[in-house]
Amino acid sequence: MLFPHKTRLTMKRAGLNQLSRSCRPSVYGRRRNHCVIVPAKVGRISNALERREHTWFVRTNDVSDLTVIVGEDSFHLHKVHLHAPSFQIPMLSKSGYLNKLVFNRMNNEAADSSISMHIDNLPGGCQIFQLVVKFCYGVAVDLTATNVAPLYCAAYFLEMTEDFGHGNLISKAQAFLSFIIFSSWRDTFNIFTSCEDVSFWAQELGIVKQCSESIAWKACLDPQAIGRVVNDDELCFKILTNNNNSKNKDGGASEIVEECWWFKDVSVLRIDHFVEAICAIKTKGATPRLVGNCIAYWTSKWLQKFKLHSDSREAHRDTIESLIRVLPNEKNSVCCNFLLHLLKAGWMLNIDHELTTELEKRVAMMLECCCAGDLIVKNYRENDTVYDVSLVIRVVQAYATHFTRDLTSGMRLAATVVDDYLALVARDDMLSVKAFQLLVEALPADARHCNDKLYRAIDMYLKAHPKLTEEDRRIVSRAMEYHKLSKEAREHAMKNDRLPLNIVARLTLSEQVNATKSILSNNLKYRRSESEETVRATRGIDNSRWFKYHKKLQMMKAEVEKMKLQVCSLQVCKVELQRQMRIAPK
């Protein structure tokens, strides 16, 4: 017999509405679903199962002649009826596994001798075997969400099928298991938790798959069709009965459930069960962004408990690899910052190289459309930089390797993001010159059409590191091209005593050459205009006045020639400075 606790209603009623009504006292009343089972027929009835330390005894009038040792506990049972030897007790008549073991031993030993046997790999161990013994001896067994899955696995292990009696343990446990998975959202997760110790059997018997599909079906319902309620089981009950009224019992309008209402519950699952649930949710048609957000939520909770110990590295490595493999392939399904944290954890744990490379490329693809804040990943070790700059360097290098062909506009967007990030990390005292240089030079030279943001980052770095040598300041500043600076930036740079001397000299010389060229160009235009006016004015006047203007014109030409010589002299100085800079050690 199988009947829900206290209600004594059978599970033979068909249909969703009848099933929902039958479980309403336990679901809607916020009590866990559970029921009491007994076998349909028993050859021996016992009142109780007694325990004395690690030894269990069935309370009967017969002497025990069968000892089953499970783990550290031993169970003193019976293989035959003392007064009717041909009559087998329910323990053997309901379990094909025990039946074969006992009768194989009886063929080799005396029929009336006691038999002792070990069962070392029983799913659920001695706690579950205790329930099996109670069931076989006619003692009522209380099934709950926390024990039904391992009991179902143990029943399969012991071969307690219908071939050994109608209403055997497999059928009863399976019926209640299917019922509770379908009816209760909360208890589905309790079943998931109970499967952790019987993982192999739970996978083989499809328990994990059933739980995953149940969660996926409920999670993928239209959230606008579900009213927000206080209790998870109450929510599940509303789903099952299609009770989508817009008013609650108090007459107030119920709020709409958010699309991610199930994230918190799913985040408690172990990684293998979480992956199963996510795969089922994908199959049900959830949007890639919703799936990605759920994976990010689970990972954020897991990373808070992440501790890198030698004895747990392999488990953590498997976790990261599983998360990467289950990520949706769509580009915007997960944010750049989450992928960077996942990548950092993968490097720390030395995960599969192919997965690392694919993750790097995926983050690099998002570089053009993210912002500097998305690249922030903190370091937590002492004597290290505040932010993990090496992580960003590798991503930018991957971008330069795979995504810079014929993408000038996109490359400039990426350069802007990198320069903004440089400004964020430049104040870090622990950031080395080498790291700063590598990040600046990770992109091609033509990636930046304007160096103003780069100059700002360089200036902030030099300000935060006042003890740098002249050579270090040259290394930091050498990627900056002065002709790509705006007028305001050039004026600021020429007065900036933090910049190395060669950069200041180059900027000053360039500014003087440009100013001289500008003056010369303006003077030539002015003189040309003035000479034309002079020629026109001399027409119709006397020769003396014409010679006077002609003399002025000759003086102006001489002045122009003098300015040309000055420009040539400046050019020579410029070439000499450039030569000296090339000769100077870098």
Side-chain angles (χ1 to χ4, degrees):
M1 298 174 64
L2 170 66
F3 48 93
H5 183 65
K6 294 184 181 180
T7 61
R8 305 185 67 87
L9 298 175
T10 66
M11 288 183 57
K12 295 182 180 179
R13 297 177 181 177
L16 173 60
N17 293 333
Q18 290 177 329
L19 184 59
S20 301
R21 285 194 295 270
S22 68
C23 70
R24 184 167 184 166
S26 59
V27 177
Y28 197 76
R30 304 181 186 176
R31 297 192 302 272
R32 288 187 303 178
N33 285 316
H34 61 289
C35 69
V36 178
I37 58 172
V38 292
K41 294 181 180 180
V42 291
R44 177 187 299 274
I45 299 295
S46 174
N47 294 327
L49 186 64
E50 296 179 349
R51 180 178 184 178
R52 301 169 191 170
E53 294 183 352
H54 292 289
T55 305
W56 295 82
F57 299 91
V58 180
R59 187 184 296 172
T60 63
N61 296 324
D62 295 333
V63 179
S64 170
D65 56 1
L66 173 63
T67 303
V68 179
I69 301 173
V70 181
E72 297 181 352
D73 290 13
S74 59
F75 296 80
H76 293 267
L77 310 174
H78 308 82
K79 65 177 186 291
V80 294
H81 197 290
L82 293 178
H83 304 293
S86 60
F87 181 77
Q88 297 180 10
I89 65 167
M91 198 70 200
L92 301 186
S93 64
K94 290 190 174 299
S95 170
Y97 179 83
L98 290 176
N99 192 299
K100 287 183 288 186
L101 286 180
V102 169
F103 280 95
N104 286 338
R105 296 285 295 275
M106 288 177 64
N107 291 334
N108 300 325
E109 301 177 12
D112 58 349
S113 63
S114 298
I115 295 177
S116 177
M117 61 180 65
H118 289 262
I119 303 179
D120 296 326
N121 53 348
L122 179 74
C126 58
Q127 293 182 351
I128 296 302
F129 190 71
Q130 170 200 346
L131 300 180
V132 174
V133 172
K134 284 183 177 181
F135 178 81
C136 292
Y137 276 84
V139 181
V141 176
D142 201 8
L143 284 186
T144 67
T146 57
N147 65 21
V148 64
L151 186 63
Y152 181 48
C153 295
Y156 256 96
F157 178 89
L158 296 171
E159 301 175 18
M160 301 180 71
T161 64
E162 295 294 293
D163 295 337
F164 290 86
H166 177 70
N168 209 346
L169 185 56
I170 286 180
S171 61
K172 291 183 180 293
Q174 185 179 31
F176 180 70
L177 183 64
S178 300
F179 165 74
I180 197 173
I181 288 175
F182 176 75
S183 65
S184 175
W185 169 267
R186 181 185 63 185
D187 285 336
T188 303
F189 290 93
N190 291 334
I191 293 172
F192 253 135
T193 303
S194 68
C195 289
E196 293 180 0
D197 295 330
V198 291
S199 181
F200 171 78
W201 285 93
Q203 289 282 357
E204 289 294 313
L205 298 177
I207 300 175
V208 173
K209 183 178 180 181
Q210 290 181 60
C211 292
S212 300
E213 291 179 347
S214 175
I215 290 172
W217 172 70
K218 296 166 188 172
C220 292
L221 288 176
D222 183 2
Q224 294 184 355
I226 310 172
R228 181 183 294 279
V229 288
V230 177
N231 183 269
D232 287 338
D233 285 337
E234 197 170 312
L235 170 61
C236 180
F237 180 76
K238 283 182 174 288
I239 296 173
L240 293 175
T241 57
N242 197 27
N243 185 15
N244 300 326
N245 297 328
S246 59
K247 301 289 184 179
N248 57 27
K249 291 183 178 181
D250 299 328
S254 61
E255 299 178 2
I256 299 299
V257 174
E258 296 178 0
E259 194 178 28
C260 57
W261 61 269
W262 46 276
F263 282 14
K264 184 177 180 180
D265 294 325
V266 176
S267 68
V268 304
L269 297 178
R270 199 175 67 178
I271 179 61
D272 53 340
H273 295 163
F274 175 73
V275 170
E276 288 275 355
I278 287 296
C279 290
I281 289 169
K282 282 184 178 179
T283 305
K284 293 296 181 181
T287 62
R289 189 168 187 81
L290 186 64
V291 173
N293 288 341
C294 181
I295 295 173
Y297 186 91
W298 187 95
T299 308
S300 66
K301 293 191 66 175
W302 176 77
L303 282 177
Q304 292 176 4
K305 300 178 287 185
F306 176 76
K307 293 182 179 178
L308 195 59
H309 298 300
S310 58
D311 57 345
S312 60
R313 285 184 65 90
E314 186 174 352
H316 291 326
R317 186 185 300 115
D318 292 340
T319 297
I320 292 294
E321 291 180 350
S322 299
L323 289 172
I324 296 173
R325 290 189 177 100
V326 81
L327 285 174
N329 294 323
E330 287 75 8
K331 182 178 180 180
N332 296 321
S333 57
V334 285
C335 68
C336 178
N337 190 257
F338 165 67
L339 291 178
L340 279 172
H341 279 88
L342 206 59
L343 184 59
K344 179 180 175 67
W347 284 340
M348 293 173 62
L349 295 167
N350 194 27
I351 64 171
D352 183 71
H353 178 70
E354 291 185 4
L355 289 177
T356 302
T357 303
E358 287 301 314
L359 201 56
E360 284 180 7
K361 291 172 63 176
R362 182 163 183 170
V363 179
M365 288 175 60
M366 306 175 70
L367 192 61
E368 298 172 4
C369 56
C370 67
C371 63
D374 295 331
L375 304 180
I376 293 296
V377 177
K378 288 189 175 182
N379 282 321
Y380 297 99
R381 293 177 297 184
E382 294 183 0
N383 300 323
D384 206 344
T385 55
V386 177
Y387 304 114
D388 194 343
V389 180
S390 61
L391 185 73
V392 179
I393 291 173
R394 291 186 61 168
V395 169
V396 177
Q397 289 174 341
Y399 173 83
T401 303
H402 300 287
F403 303 106
T404 55
R405 291 183 179 179
D406 302 325
L407 294 175
T408 305
S409 59
M411 191 164 49
R412 289 179 177 175
L413 290 173
T416 300
V417 175
V418 172
D419 291 346
D420 288 339
Y421 177 78
L422 280 167
L424 286 176
V425 301
R427 298 185 181 92
D428 185 1
D429 294 338
M430 302 300 296
L431 182 60
S432 67
V433 172
K434 184 66 174 178
F436 190 89
Q437 176 200 3
L438 286 174
L439 187 51
V440 171
E441 298 177 357
L443 290 175
D446 56 349
R448 299 175 175 89
H449 71 285
C450 177
N451 279 184
D452 282 12
K453 287 191 173 184
L454 178 60
Y455 167 65
R456 175 172 170 265
I458 291 173
D459 185 43
M460 293 175 67
Y461 183 81
L462 295 176
K463 186 177 181 180
H465 301 78
K467 296 182 180 180
L468 291 179
T469 64
E470 182 72 12
E471 181 61 26
D472 286 340
R473 289 192 290 165
R474 287 180 182 178
I475 294 173
V476 170
S477 309
R478 70 184 180 186
M480 183 179 65
E481 300 181 56
Y482 60 88
H483 62 275
K484 290 185 178 181
L485 293 175
S486 64
K487 181 180 179 181
E488 293 77 9
R490 288 198 303 269
E491 291 176 353
H492 185 277
M494 284 189 295
K495 302 174 184 178
N496 191 346
D497 57 358
R498 289 186 289 271
L499 290 174
L501 293 176
N502 67 322
I503 297 294
V504 176
R506 184 187 300 177
L507 286 169
T508 304
L509 179 60
S510 174
E511 197 67 17
Q512 288 178 351
V513 170
N514 291 336
T516 303
K517 287 181 178 179
S518 177
I519 293 172
L520 180 59
S521 176
N522 291 335
N523 281 338
L524 286 174
K525 290 180 181 179
Y526 174 74
R527 300 306 182 188
R528 188 179 297 112
S529 174
E530 192 177 51
S531 67
E532 289 177 356
E533 291 179 1
T534 302
V535 170
R536 284 196 299 269
T538 57
R539 291 177 182 177
I541 61 175
D542 55 10
N543 291 336
S544 61
R545 293 179 64 188
W546 185 89
F547 280 114
K548 183 179 178 181
Y549 284 112
H550 181 70
K551 186 177 180 180
K552 287 183 178 181
L553 182 60
Q554 292 298 326
M555 291 174 63
M556 283 187 245
K557 287 183 178 180
E559 187 178 345
V560 169
E561 291 299 328
K562 184 179 179 181
M563 293 180 69
K564 286 183 178 179
L565 290 174
Q566 291 178 350
V567 171
C568 290
S569 178
L570 287 173
Q571 292 285 3
V572 171
C573 292
K574 177 182 177 182
V575 172
E576 180 64 20
L577 279 173
Q578 290 176 342
R579 186 183 67 80
Q580 291 177 3
M581 289 170 58
R582 287 195 296 270
I583 295 175
K586 295 184 179 180

